[in-house]
Amino acid sequence: MSSSAALALIEFTARRVFSGKRLWAAIVLLAIPPLVAALLVALARQRAGTPVHFDGITFNLSLYLTLVLTAMIYGVALTSSEIEDGTAGYVLLGACPRWMVALAHVLVTSPLLAALTTASIAATYGIASISPVGVPERGPSVIATDAFVASVALTVYLAFFVFCGYAFKHNMAVSIGTVLVWEFIMPALPTKFMNYTVVMNTRILWLHLTQQGERGRWFRGVVGFDVPTYAEASMFLSVAAALFLTLGMVAAMNRSLAGREGGT
Amino acid sequence: MAIVDQSYQPWSGDLQPRRRRIGAMVRVGIRQAYAGLMAKILLLSTYLMVFGTIGILFIASTFQQSVAIVSGNNIYRFYLGSIFPTGILIMTLAALVGGRSIANDLRFNAVSMYFSKAITRTDYLVGKWATVSAFLLSGTLVPALLLWICQWAISREEISAGSRAMDLLALTGHSLVIVLPIAMYALALSSLSRNAFVPGILWVMTFFGSIIVSGILTERVEEDWCKLVSWHNLATRLGEALYEKRVVKVQALGSNLMPIEGTMPYPWYVPAAILGGITLVSALFVLWRMRKFEGQE
Amino acid sequence: MNVLETNSLSKRYGRLAALQDLTLTVPGGAVGLLGPNGAGKSTLIKILLGLIPATAGSAAVFGLDVRRFRLHVRQQVGYMPENESFIPGLDAVRYVYLAGRLIGMPHIDAMQRTHIVLNYVGLGEERYRPMQDYSTGMKQKVKFAQAIVHHPKLLLLDEPTSGLDPRAREEMLGLIRDVAHGKGIHVIISTHILPDVEATCDDVVIMDRGALVQQGPIKGLSAGGDGYDVRIKGDRDAFLRALLAHACEAEAHEDGRIRVRFAHGTPGTDPILRASVEAKVQLRHLERCRASLEELFGSVLSRSRNGS
Amino acid sequence: MSDAVIRADRLNKWYGSVIALNDVSLEIPPGITGLLGPNGAGKTTFMRIAIGLLRPSSGAVEVAGEDPWNNLAHNLRTGYCPEHDGFYEWMTGRAFVRWLLRLRGRSRAEARDGAHRALERVRLLDAADRAVGTYSRGMRQRLKIAQALAHDAKLLFLDEPLTGTDPLVRAELIDLIRSFEREGRSVLVSSHVLHEIEALTRSIVLFHRGRLVATGDIHEIRSLIDRHPHSVSVRSSRARELAAALVRDETVAEVSIPAERSLLVRTRRPDEFYGRLPQIALELGCEVEEVSSPDDNLEAVFRYLTER
């Protein structure tokens, strides 16, 4: 294996992030938080005293809906769609070992998506700070913190999707189904299992970093829910990321790609 | 001995009008929608839940307990108006069945069969709409009917036959209000892509997104229109308007249970106009997309 | 009444002209629509079905304008698309039944006809299995069945043998031949595979780059085969030398075929027989030149391209 | 045959309970080899195992002496043209080939030149800077071949490269594939159409229902059929006289006259019969217009080998 092939793999993976319909879907998704902020700002102009709450948008949109769905769109596009379209073979038959292809999928795509998410968060912050009330005064450091949290979560999600893509035959159904149930429905149910969802741990990380661990107005609907510590949440996320990354690399090494003829 | 010629014979006969063709399309489509494993599991769990509820209520009634949820038209209103399980269930079913209905036709090229037959784009759209709606009704209307019967059986109030009939109409209307816009919107998304999961994700995104954004807005702005942003609120508000307003006349266990009240002060035609608008725009979008796809192989 | 009439039909996709001023009259029978990839055959068929509007000109099927009466036209026409076409989760019976119902056939008729045509195309018990599990040949048969379920007056087949193995192809050609003769169905086959047309059609229409190149009966077009195609087993060079000695021009092809022409007219097969005896080779195959349509196709196309 | 480029030993591949390859052991020599069999015979599965995309359920395969699975050196030596189209539709053809070259370790400059050469080779330069989404079927086929040969692969796997191409394109592709052999590359071409393979090579491998049926030279396989009875159809103006003469010959088992001027002869010793037929006809002085046998072509070999 040559270094130029590895370089090409990184470039190629990055190039694919900015192509096709999925880019548009991601842009629409990432535009939602700034748009909501803009709406709130416009309303605050009309009626003095309407608070524009940047943290609320981050908590509910940037680190929840937008984050999970962006990861889902790209996660599926990285492996499942490639295998289904029949393009996966070209990349796997290159000069880079397969584990490296899986690794590049996750480690190249997640910083780029994190950058896009950061842009979205920064735009939200910028728009929200037009309004006099409700914007945290910690300055741009809060953006950096949010971006960090988002990139951690994205890495976990992408690793999971890459793993599912290589490991399962019905990879789309498995990965999307799991994420929908575990990450969307589970955090809405008042059970202890919500402590083990990526969404919750991400937001707990965020809670500790930006709200000093105070639950305050967040999670208030949940009765008897103990917020894990920063250490617990970061441990959970890093273990999940490492686990799925490893499993994904192993799965990539063992994935057989049948043609459409033999697939049934 | 008589030998009957069983080889290929020419056929001639009268052809039926267009509405019968659409009817056939719907029948075959529904059969196909039920073929999916996921859809079966989801529906089955819903029915288990509904029957479980009914069972518990029957047990309660054998102990001469009157339960608040059985009084008035609470029980099916509650079922149809709640976000969990009904809202989530309908969302998932629509993502599964609505999402793939046109996308799979494009991907497996069934459109070239449909449009080489004597149907127009509008017929196709109406057929698909009816198919997805009818399928979704099995997750709303049918359980609601079961609950209506259950209410009739065990509630302790005196309800006139007219009121019962009105309730029946209302729950049918409520189910349609929930299902029809969702089905059309899912079809619009479905015509976007050949890949069935894309429309599914987009629809889930719309549903959750609208609820979350509406939640943020409601909390921040505290204005009434913020509630209109949520898809679920719209359908519930419009559905609520259909029910007969009457006072519950019986003292029941747990009577502090909140009946779903129309918390949105807007008249019924506002959500109706919004949902109708979404449906219309979606329909036009599908027609426009199919115009593009009709030209392909 | 003519099965098909077009009048200076044109279709443009942006700058690309898929059909250019095509005026064509097809009286009926089994007609092969021949042309290379991108000749405009599929575009023509889609216009005939009313799927896409023509940029200019008009087309009529059985005298019915394809735009104004497109549903009527489609009730008279059966169409077999080129690419695979099915509804996942549906079995062949439901699929063909649906096709019949969409034409407007009543329930009972559609069910009966479904089984008749599935028997006719030779699909057995597999018809009750979901179609995504079918082999290419079976999918192709179902596509054919759904096109004839309502006994159309005109059958449009787009590349009916593409991707089939020899046996499946032979079966498909047999079906087409059978349906095109004596069943009262006119057939138009769009293809680039010449032997298919030879095996099934009486007339041929050759298209290239959206324009009509040539039209006529196959016999007329492929006539002029003055010579024989021979296959032998044994010493080929000796045979060729012996042929030369009998004043024959021989041309050996890569697929083992030897084309023999006579310098002076056609004095029968005697020289070939003699040459084979002299060269002590086995005469495995002897036939008048027939596969000249392929060459004709090539020459017609290059002529039309050079001329334009 | 120690110089075999591909060697398979007791290869099996299942998908669930479906068996795609059943106990295949074979050796493929350098040069062009045709992989022949009907749809679903296991050709694609075999190729994908040999290219390293599929792992066999049991057994081993060696390509150039090495296991292809997760073998980077093997990836660089081989090129694969898949049967079905899989492209990044938004990319241009040139970018596609260039990216794949870079993924195989070429520098930017090398990749640019290599892509240009490969596209020139398959005559796709005109369309190289258009998005793949706009390509026609023939262009897609060429692009797939271009990416397979761009990195100077010594061994090419072409899965159904000729399917769906019109005669003009097919002739071009056949020339191209033959030129690979002259450059010293080995090529494995799969097809279900016999005459495509016949035009390419003499060395074939025959698959049927996941089993290896025959391997070797077409001539060797041909000679197989001569150990079995043939029916030969002869057309002659004096059919009855010829029949009488033939019946007396010891190689002939049976003669029937299905139509006037037409004979059907059954022989148990085809080799001798074909040698004697011209002699007998000449001695009798009767014109033979046509000799043909359904049992004397590759389709028959195929039928015979697969149906026993």
PDB file of all heavy atoms in Angstrom, chain B residues 110-119, chain C residues 49 51 70-71 73-75 77-81 99 102-103 146-147 150:
ATOM      1  N   ALA B 110     -41.864  -0.093 -12.244  1.00  0.00           N
ATOM      2  CA  ALA B 110     -43.266  -0.458 -12.433  1.00  0.00           C
ATOM      3  C   ALA B 110     -44.037   0.678 -13.090  1.00  0.00           C
ATOM      4  O   ALA B 110     -45.096   0.444 -13.677  1.00  0.00           O
ATOM      5  CB  ALA B 110     -43.904  -0.823 -11.099  1.00  0.00           C
ATOM      6  N   VAL B 111     -43.485   1.899 -13.018  1.00  0.00           N
ATOM      7  CA  VAL B 111     -44.179   3.022 -13.664  1.00  0.00           C
ATOM      8  C   VAL B 111     -44.389   2.765 -15.146  1.00  0.00           C
ATOM      9  O   VAL B 111     -45.410   3.160 -15.710  1.00  0.00           O
ATOM     10  CB  VAL B 111     -43.405   4.356 -13.479  1.00  0.00           C
ATOM     11  CG1 VAL B 111     -43.739   4.994 -12.178  1.00  0.00           C
ATOM     12  CG2 VAL B 111     -41.944   4.172 -13.650  1.00  0.00           C
ATOM     13  N   SER B 112     -43.439   2.074 -15.770  1.00  0.00           N
ATOM     14  CA  SER B 112     -43.594   1.847 -17.209  1.00  0.00           C
ATOM     15  C   SER B 112     -44.746   0.884 -17.471  1.00  0.00           C
ATOM     16  O   SER B 112     -45.337   0.915 -18.545  1.00  0.00           O
ATOM     17  CB  SER B 112     -42.300   1.325 -17.823  1.00  0.00           C
ATOM     18  OG  SER B 112     -42.026   0.047 -17.330  1.00  0.00           O
ATOM     19  N   MET B 113     -45.076   0.026 -16.505  1.00  0.00           N
ATOM     20  CA  MET B 113     -46.280  -0.797 -16.657  1.00  0.00           C
ATOM     21  C   MET B 113     -47.517   0.056 -16.429  1.00  0.00           C
ATOM     22  O   MET B 113     -48.427   0.060 -17.260  1.00  0.00           O
ATOM     23  CB  MET B 113     -46.229  -1.970 -15.671  1.00  0.00           C
ATOM     24  CG  MET B 113     -47.280  -3.039 -15.894  1.00  0.00           C
ATOM     25  SD  MET B 113     -48.885  -2.664 -15.195  1.00  0.00           S
ATOM     26  CE  MET B 113     -48.619  -3.064 -13.479  1.00  0.00           C
ATOM     27  N   TYR B 114     -47.518   0.816 -15.343  1.00  0.00           N
ATOM     28  CA  TYR B 114     -48.707   1.629 -15.042  1.00  0.00           C
ATOM     29  C   TYR B 114     -49.052   2.544 -16.207  1.00  0.00           C
ATOM     30  O   TYR B 114     -50.194   2.614 -16.646  1.00  0.00           O
ATOM     31  CB  TYR B 114     -48.465   2.476 -13.790  1.00  0.00           C
ATOM     32  CG  TYR B 114     -48.645   1.740 -12.487  1.00  0.00           C
ATOM     33  CD1 TYR B 114     -47.575   1.482 -11.659  1.00  0.00           C
ATOM     34  CD2 TYR B 114     -49.905   1.315 -12.087  1.00  0.00           C
ATOM     35  CE1 TYR B 114     -47.738   0.817 -10.458  1.00  0.00           C
ATOM     36  CE2 TYR B 114     -50.086   0.645 -10.890  1.00  0.00           C
ATOM     37  CZ  TYR B 114     -48.990   0.400 -10.083  1.00  0.00           C
ATOM     38  OH  TYR B 114     -49.158  -0.264  -8.901  1.00  0.00           O
ATOM     39  N   PHE B 115     -48.063   3.253 -16.703  1.00  0.00           N
ATOM     40  CA  PHE B 115     -48.372   4.284 -17.687  1.00  0.00           C
ATOM     41  C   PHE B 115     -48.450   3.763 -19.113  1.00  0.00           C
ATOM     42  O   PHE B 115     -48.654   4.525 -20.041  1.00  0.00           O
ATOM     43  CB  PHE B 115     -47.384   5.439 -17.566  1.00  0.00           C
ATOM     44  CG  PHE B 115     -47.580   6.212 -16.303  1.00  0.00           C
ATOM     45  CD1 PHE B 115     -46.617   6.246 -15.330  1.00  0.00           C
ATOM     46  CD2 PHE B 115     -48.780   6.859 -16.069  1.00  0.00           C
ATOM     47  CE1 PHE B 115     -46.815   6.922 -14.149  1.00  0.00           C
ATOM     48  CE2 PHE B 115     -48.994   7.542 -14.892  1.00  0.00           C
ATOM     49  CZ  PHE B 115     -48.009   7.581 -13.931  1.00  0.00           C
ATOM     50  N   SER B 116     -48.268   2.452 -19.280  1.00  0.00           N
ATOM     51  CA  SER B 116     -48.599   1.921 -20.605  1.00  0.00           C
ATOM     52  C   SER B 116     -50.030   1.407 -20.603  1.00  0.00           C
ATOM     53  O   SER B 116     -50.512   0.903 -21.603  1.00  0.00           O
ATOM     54  CB  SER B 116     -47.624   0.815 -21.007  1.00  0.00           C
ATOM     55  OG  SER B 116     -47.788  -0.297 -20.162  1.00  0.00           O
ATOM     56  N   LYS B 117     -50.709   1.509 -19.457  1.00  0.00           N
ATOM     57  CA  LYS B 117     -52.099   1.083 -19.373  1.00  0.00           C
ATOM     58  C   LYS B 117     -53.001   2.306 -19.416  1.00  0.00           C
ATOM     59  O   LYS B 117     -52.534   3.440 -19.402  1.00  0.00           O
ATOM     60  CB  LYS B 117     -52.326   0.293 -18.078  1.00  0.00           C
ATOM     61  CG  LYS B 117     -51.394  -0.877 -17.916  1.00  0.00           C
ATOM     62  CD  LYS B 117     -51.598  -1.914 -18.997  1.00  0.00           C
ATOM     63  CE  LYS B 117     -50.595  -3.040 -18.868  1.00  0.00           C
ATOM     64  NZ  LYS B 117     -49.994  -3.417 -20.135  1.00  0.00           N
ATOM     65  N   ALA B 118     -54.299   2.046 -19.406  1.00  0.00           N
ATOM     66  CA  ALA B 118     -55.224   3.150 -19.650  1.00  0.00           C
ATOM     67  C   ALA B 118     -55.519   3.939 -18.383  1.00  0.00           C
ATOM     68  O   ALA B 118     -56.662   4.034 -17.945  1.00  0.00           O
ATOM     69  CB  ALA B 118     -56.516   2.600 -20.256  1.00  0.00           C
ATOM     70  N   ILE B 119     -54.508   4.482 -17.748  1.00  0.00           N
ATOM     71  CA  ILE B 119     -54.740   5.388 -16.632  1.00  0.00           C
ATOM     72  C   ILE B 119     -53.894   6.635 -16.831  1.00  0.00           C
ATOM     73  O   ILE B 119     -52.859   6.606 -17.497  1.00  0.00           O
ATOM     74  CB  ILE B 119     -54.385   4.764 -15.253  1.00  0.00           C
ATOM     75  CG1 ILE B 119     -52.938   4.281 -15.241  1.00  0.00           C
ATOM     76  CG2 ILE B 119     -55.339   3.640 -14.908  1.00  0.00           C
ATOM     77  CD1 ILE B 119     -52.455   3.950 -13.849  1.00  0.00           C
TER      78      ILE B 119
ATOM     79  N   LEU C  49     -47.104   5.701 -27.111  1.00  0.00           N
ATOM     80  CA  LEU C  49     -47.899   5.388 -25.928  1.00  0.00           C
ATOM     81  C   LEU C  49     -48.451   6.645 -25.264  1.00  0.00           C
ATOM     82  O   LEU C  49     -49.172   6.552 -24.283  1.00  0.00           O
ATOM     83  CB  LEU C  49     -47.046   4.628 -24.912  1.00  0.00           C
ATOM     84  CG  LEU C  49     -46.753   3.174 -25.242  1.00  0.00           C
ATOM     85  CD1 LEU C  49     -45.666   2.641 -24.349  1.00  0.00           C
ATOM     86  CD2 LEU C  49     -47.998   2.333 -25.083  1.00  0.00           C
ATOM     87  N   LEU C  51     -46.666   8.775 -23.694  1.00  0.00           N
ATOM     88  CA  LEU C  51     -45.941   9.024 -22.449  1.00  0.00           C
ATOM     89  C   LEU C  51     -45.203  10.351 -22.497  1.00  0.00           C
ATOM     90  O   LEU C  51     -45.080  11.028 -21.494  1.00  0.00           O
ATOM     91  CB  LEU C  51     -44.935   7.900 -22.179  1.00  0.00           C
ATOM     92  CG  LEU C  51     -45.525   6.534 -21.884  1.00  0.00           C
ATOM     93  CD1 LEU C  51     -44.437   5.528 -21.637  1.00  0.00           C
ATOM     94  CD2 LEU C  51     -46.435   6.613 -20.676  1.00  0.00           C
ATOM     95  N   ARG C  70     -54.998   9.224 -25.874  1.00  0.00           N
ATOM     96  CA  ARG C  70     -53.939   8.328 -25.459  1.00  0.00           C
ATOM     97  C   ARG C  70     -54.458   7.147 -24.642  1.00  0.00           C
ATOM     98  O   ARG C  70     -53.928   6.050 -24.747  1.00  0.00           O
ATOM     99  CB  ARG C  70     -52.815   9.067 -24.760  1.00  0.00           C
ATOM    100  CG  ARG C  70     -53.113   9.669 -23.427  1.00  0.00           C
ATOM    101  CD  ARG C  70     -51.813  10.283 -22.913  1.00  0.00           C
ATOM    102  NE  ARG C  70     -51.939  10.712 -21.547  1.00  0.00           N
ATOM    103  CZ  ARG C  70     -52.536  11.838 -21.184  1.00  0.00           C
ATOM    104  NH1 ARG C  70     -53.069  12.629 -22.102  1.00  0.00           N
ATOM    105  NH2 ARG C  70     -52.619  12.179 -19.914  1.00  0.00           N
ATOM    106  N   LEU C  71     -55.510   7.358 -23.865  1.00  0.00           N
ATOM    107  CA  LEU C  71     -56.032   6.209 -23.122  1.00  0.00           C
ATOM    108  C   LEU C  71     -56.660   5.190 -24.069  1.00  0.00           C
ATOM    109  O   LEU C  71     -56.518   3.980 -23.876  1.00  0.00           O
ATOM    110  CB  LEU C  71     -57.039   6.655 -22.073  1.00  0.00           C
ATOM    111  CG  LEU C  71     -56.477   7.475 -20.913  1.00  0.00           C
ATOM    112  CD1 LEU C  71     -57.458   7.508 -19.759  1.00  0.00           C
ATOM    113  CD2 LEU C  71     -55.141   6.961 -20.433  1.00  0.00           C
ATOM    114  N   VAL C  73     -55.744   4.732 -27.143  1.00  0.00           N
ATOM    115  CA  VAL C  73     -54.618   4.074 -27.821  1.00  0.00           C
ATOM    116  C   VAL C  73     -54.028   2.989 -26.927  1.00  0.00           C
ATOM    117  O   VAL C  73     -53.801   1.859 -27.360  1.00  0.00           O
ATOM    118  CB  VAL C  73     -53.539   5.114 -28.203  1.00  0.00           C
ATOM    119  CG1 VAL C  73     -52.248   4.429 -28.606  1.00  0.00           C
ATOM    120  CG2 VAL C  73     -54.033   6.007 -29.307  1.00  0.00           C
ATOM    121  N   ARG C  74     -53.827   3.329 -25.645  1.00  0.00           N
ATOM    122  CA  ARG C  74     -53.197   2.356 -24.757  1.00  0.00           C
ATOM    123  C   ARG C  74     -54.095   1.139 -24.536  1.00  0.00           C
ATOM    124  O   ARG C  74     -53.597   0.056 -24.229  1.00  0.00           O
ATOM    125  CB  ARG C  74     -52.884   3.005 -23.407  1.00  0.00           C
ATOM    126  CG  ARG C  74     -51.766   4.019 -23.494  1.00  0.00           C
ATOM    127  CD  ARG C  74     -51.408   4.473 -22.112  1.00  0.00           C
ATOM    128  NE  ARG C  74     -50.765   5.777 -22.112  1.00  0.00           N
ATOM    129  CZ  ARG C  74     -50.645   6.524 -21.031  1.00  0.00           C
ATOM    130  NH1 ARG C  74     -51.139   6.108 -19.879  1.00  0.00           N
ATOM    131  NH2 ARG C  74     -50.032   7.682 -21.093  1.00  0.00           N
ATOM    132  N   GLN C  75     -55.402   1.298 -24.669  1.00  0.00           N
ATOM    133  CA  GLN C  75     -56.267   0.123 -24.539  1.00  0.00           C
ATOM    134  C   GLN C  75     -56.120  -0.822 -25.733  1.00  0.00           C
ATOM    135  O   GLN C  75     -56.424  -2.003 -25.633  1.00  0.00           O
ATOM    136  CB  GLN C  75     -57.721   0.567 -24.379  1.00  0.00           C
ATOM    137  CG  GLN C  75     -57.992   1.089 -22.976  1.00  0.00           C
ATOM    138  CD  GLN C  75     -59.406   1.567 -22.765  1.00  0.00           C
ATOM    139  OE1 GLN C  75     -60.069   2.007 -23.699  1.00  0.00           O
ATOM    140  NE2 GLN C  75     -59.880   1.483 -21.535  1.00  0.00           N
ATOM    141  N   VAL C  77     -53.191  -1.183 -27.252  1.00  0.00           N
ATOM    142  CA  VAL C  77     -51.768  -1.483 -27.409  1.00  0.00           C
ATOM    143  C   VAL C  77     -51.269  -2.237 -26.184  1.00  0.00           C
ATOM    144  O   VAL C  77     -51.679  -1.952 -25.062  1.00  0.00           O
ATOM    145  CB  VAL C  77     -50.980  -0.157 -27.567  1.00  0.00           C
ATOM    146  CG1 VAL C  77     -49.492  -0.418 -27.514  1.00  0.00           C
ATOM    147  CG2 VAL C  77     -51.325   0.494 -28.881  1.00  0.00           C
ATOM    148  N   GLY C  78     -50.413  -3.208 -26.408  1.00  0.00           N
ATOM    149  CA  GLY C  78     -49.706  -3.837 -25.304  1.00  0.00           C
ATOM    150  C   GLY C  78     -48.253  -3.407 -25.380  1.00  0.00           C
ATOM    151  O   GLY C  78     -47.686  -3.349 -26.467  1.00  0.00           O
ATOM    152  N   TYR C  79     -47.657  -3.095 -24.246  1.00  0.00           N
ATOM    153  CA  TYR C  79     -46.285  -2.590 -24.257  1.00  0.00           C
ATOM    154  C   TYR C  79     -45.430  -3.404 -23.311  1.00  0.00           C
ATOM    155  O   TYR C  79     -45.775  -3.603 -22.152  1.00  0.00           O
ATOM    156  CB  TYR C  79     -46.277  -1.118 -23.841  1.00  0.00           C
ATOM    157  CG  TYR C  79     -44.909  -0.545 -23.572  1.00  0.00           C
ATOM    158  CD1 TYR C  79     -43.935  -0.547 -24.559  1.00  0.00           C
ATOM    159  CD2 TYR C  79     -44.594   0.017 -22.342  1.00  0.00           C
ATOM    160  CE1 TYR C  79     -42.688  -0.014 -24.321  1.00  0.00           C
ATOM    161  CE2 TYR C  79     -43.343   0.551 -22.082  1.00  0.00           C
ATOM    162  CZ  TYR C  79     -42.395   0.532 -23.081  1.00  0.00           C
ATOM    163  OH  TYR C  79     -41.147   1.069 -22.839  1.00  0.00           O
ATOM    164  N   MET C  80     -44.318  -3.877 -23.829  1.00  0.00           N
ATOM    165  CA  MET C  80     -43.373  -4.609 -22.990  1.00  0.00           C
ATOM    166  C   MET C  80     -42.126  -3.753 -22.854  1.00  0.00           C
ATOM    167  O   MET C  80     -41.376  -3.585 -23.806  1.00  0.00           O
ATOM    168  CB  MET C  80     -43.035  -5.936 -23.667  1.00  0.00           C
ATOM    169  CG  MET C  80     -41.996  -6.740 -22.951  1.00  0.00           C
ATOM    170  SD  MET C  80     -41.821  -8.324 -23.790  1.00  0.00           S
ATOM    171  CE  MET C  80     -40.355  -8.929 -23.018  1.00  0.00           C
ATOM    172  N   PRO C  81     -41.894  -3.191 -21.665  1.00  0.00           N
ATOM    173  CA  PRO C  81     -40.765  -2.279 -21.519  1.00  0.00           C
ATOM    174  C   PRO C  81     -39.429  -3.011 -21.599  1.00  0.00           C
ATOM    175  O   PRO C  81     -39.378  -4.231 -21.452  1.00  0.00           O
ATOM    176  CB  PRO C  81     -40.983  -1.667 -20.132  1.00  0.00           C
ATOM    177  CG  PRO C  81     -41.891  -2.577 -19.424  1.00  0.00           C
ATOM    178  CD  PRO C  81     -42.669  -3.331 -20.444  1.00  0.00           C
ATOM    179  N   ALA C  99     -52.378  -5.447 -14.370  1.00  0.00           N
ATOM    180  CA  ALA C  99     -52.217  -4.873 -15.707  1.00  0.00           C
ATOM    181  C   ALA C  99     -53.540  -4.945 -16.470  1.00  0.00           C
ATOM    182  O   ALA C  99     -53.945  -3.985 -17.128  1.00  0.00           O
ATOM    183  CB  ALA C  99     -51.109  -5.612 -16.459  1.00  0.00           C
ATOM    184  N   LEU C 102     -56.032  -2.470 -15.068  1.00  0.00           N
ATOM    185  CA  LEU C 102     -55.719  -1.074 -15.388  1.00  0.00           C
ATOM    186  C   LEU C 102     -56.122  -0.725 -16.814  1.00  0.00           C
ATOM    187  O   LEU C 102     -56.315   0.435 -17.144  1.00  0.00           O
ATOM    188  CB  LEU C 102     -54.224  -0.804 -15.178  1.00  0.00           C
ATOM    189  CG  LEU C 102     -53.757  -0.801 -13.733  1.00  0.00           C
ATOM    190  CD1 LEU C 102     -52.264  -0.565 -13.658  1.00  0.00           C
ATOM    191  CD2 LEU C 102     -54.493   0.239 -12.926  1.00  0.00           C
ATOM    192  N   ILE C 103     -56.207  -1.737 -17.673  1.00  0.00           N
ATOM    193  CA  ILE C 103     -56.722  -1.494 -19.011  1.00  0.00           C
ATOM    194  C   ILE C 103     -58.236  -1.274 -18.933  1.00  0.00           C
ATOM    195  O   ILE C 103     -58.823  -0.548 -19.727  1.00  0.00           O
ATOM    196  CB  ILE C 103     -56.403  -2.705 -19.916  1.00  0.00           C
ATOM    197  CG1 ILE C 103     -54.934  -2.721 -20.264  1.00  0.00           C
ATOM    198  CG2 ILE C 103     -57.249  -2.697 -21.173  1.00  0.00           C
ATOM    199  CD1 ILE C 103     -54.488  -1.595 -21.151  1.00  0.00           C
ATOM    200  N   GLN C 146     -48.024  -9.516 -19.283  1.00  0.00           N
ATOM    201  CA  GLN C 146     -48.824  -8.335 -18.937  1.00  0.00           C
ATOM    202  C   GLN C 146     -49.096  -7.475 -20.165  1.00  0.00           C
ATOM    203  O   GLN C 146     -50.052  -6.699 -20.167  1.00  0.00           O
ATOM    204  CB  GLN C 146     -48.161  -7.516 -17.817  1.00  0.00           C
ATOM    205  CG  GLN C 146     -46.815  -6.898 -18.118  1.00  0.00           C
ATOM    206  CD  GLN C 146     -46.919  -5.572 -18.843  1.00  0.00           C
ATOM    207  OE1 GLN C 146     -47.952  -4.924 -18.820  1.00  0.00           O
ATOM    208  NE2 GLN C 146     -45.848  -5.183 -19.516  1.00  0.00           N
ATOM    209  N   ALA C 147     -48.275  -7.626 -21.204  1.00  0.00           N
ATOM    210  CA  ALA C 147     -48.525  -6.830 -22.410  1.00  0.00           C
ATOM    211  C   ALA C 147     -49.658  -7.407 -23.249  1.00  0.00           C
ATOM    212  O   ALA C 147     -50.324  -6.674 -23.984  1.00  0.00           O
ATOM    213  CB  ALA C 147     -47.249  -6.729 -23.249  1.00  0.00           C
ATOM    214  N   HIS C 150     -54.748  -8.209 -22.296  1.00  0.00           N
ATOM    215  CA  HIS C 150     -56.042  -7.722 -22.792  1.00  0.00           C
ATOM    216  C   HIS C 150     -56.209  -7.965 -24.289  1.00  0.00           C
ATOM    217  O   HIS C 150     -57.055  -7.360 -24.909  1.00  0.00           O
ATOM    218  CB  HIS C 150     -56.185  -6.252 -22.486  1.00  0.00           C
ATOM    219  CG  HIS C 150     -55.057  -5.402 -23.023  1.00  0.00           C
ATOM    220  ND1 HIS C 150     -53.765  -5.499 -22.539  1.00  0.00           N
ATOM    221  CD2 HIS C 150     -55.014  -4.463 -23.975  1.00  0.00           C
ATOM    222  CE1 HIS C 150     -52.995  -4.643 -23.182  1.00  0.00           C
ATOM    223  NE2 HIS C 150     -53.716  -4.013 -24.064  1.00  0.00           N
TER     224      HIS C 150
END
